[in-house]
Amino acid sequence: MNVFSPKLANDYKNGYFVRTIRNLTQRWREVFFSPEIPPVQDALMPDLSDRLDRIDTKLDKLSEAVSQLARIEERISHQNENMGTIDARLNDMETRIRTLEQASNSRGVILAGIERFGWIVISAMIGLAAYFVRK
């Protein structure tokens, strides 16, 4: 079962969301570092810049984790497909084995009858031989 739609997974693979987030952080930097900012806030700028850098780093890690999740999901779906194929093969083999067992059982009954008849014929021949030898 896919958690992501194909388009969403493709966007993750192509880095669309990472680029979007980086563009947003760049715009925030442009707004907060614009020359129109009063000098009172200049003391806060290094802290804000560090904070934005940390946010950007965390977003990069998050996007990498999401792309890994998409890859893992693809592997799981592929393995589920393989398990379905293996299950179908196993069911086919089980059907074939049952057919062979039934054929073997019917052949066993026929061969047992032939063997009994053969022993009867051999016993009769030995009995006839003994009868003729005694005369």
Side-chain angles (χ1 to χ4, degrees), residues 15 23 25 31-32 35 39 51 54 89 95 101-102 112 123 133:
N23 289 341
T25 56
V31 169
F32 288 116
R51 190 171 187 189
R54 283 183 282 160
R89 287 181 183 172
T95 305
E101 285 176 346
Q102 290 173 352
S123 298
V133 169

Side-chain angles (χ1 to χ4, degrees), residues 4 21 34 42 70 97 110 127 133:
F4 301 109
I21 293 169
S34 67
D42 283 343
I97 287 173
I110 293 170
V133 169

Side-chain angles (χ1 to χ4, degrees), residues 20-66:
T20 303
I21 293 169
R22 284 187 180 152
N23 289 341
L24 286 174
T25 56
Q26 183 64 30
R27 288 182 190 156
W28 290 339
R29 286 182 182 151
E30 289 171 0
V31 169
F32 288 116
F33 293 119
S34 67
E36 294 89 30
I37 297 177
V40 175
Q41 293 181 357
D42 283 343
L44 299 175
M45 288 305 144
D47 292 335
L48 186 59
S49 176
D50 291 340
R51 190 171 187 189
L52 287 175
D53 287 339
R54 283 183 282 160
I55 289 172
D56 191 32
T57 305
K58 288 179 183 179
L59 289 175
D60 287 342
K61 289 179 182 178
L62 185 62
S63 67
E64 180 62 30
V66 169

Side-chain angles (χ1 to χ4, degrees), residues 68-81:
Q68 286 178 353
L69 281 174
R71 278 187 250 130
I72 290 171
E73 181 185 10
E74 288 176 8
R75 287 180 191 162
I76 289 173
S77 66
H78 182 67
Q79 288 175 351
N80 285 340
E81 291 172 5

Side-chain angles (χ1 to χ4, degrees), residues 3 9 11-12 18 29 33 55 59 64 72 83 116 124 131:
V3 177
D11 287 344
Y12 280 125
V18 174
R29 286 182 182 151
F33 293 119
I55 289 172
L59 289 175
E64 180 62 30
I72 290 171
M83 289 299 291
R116 285 185 191 138
Y131 177 76

Side-chain angles (χ1 to χ4, degrees), residues 122-133:
I122 291 173
S123 298
M125 290 174 72
I126 292 174
L128 281 174
Y131 177 76
F132 288 122
V133 169

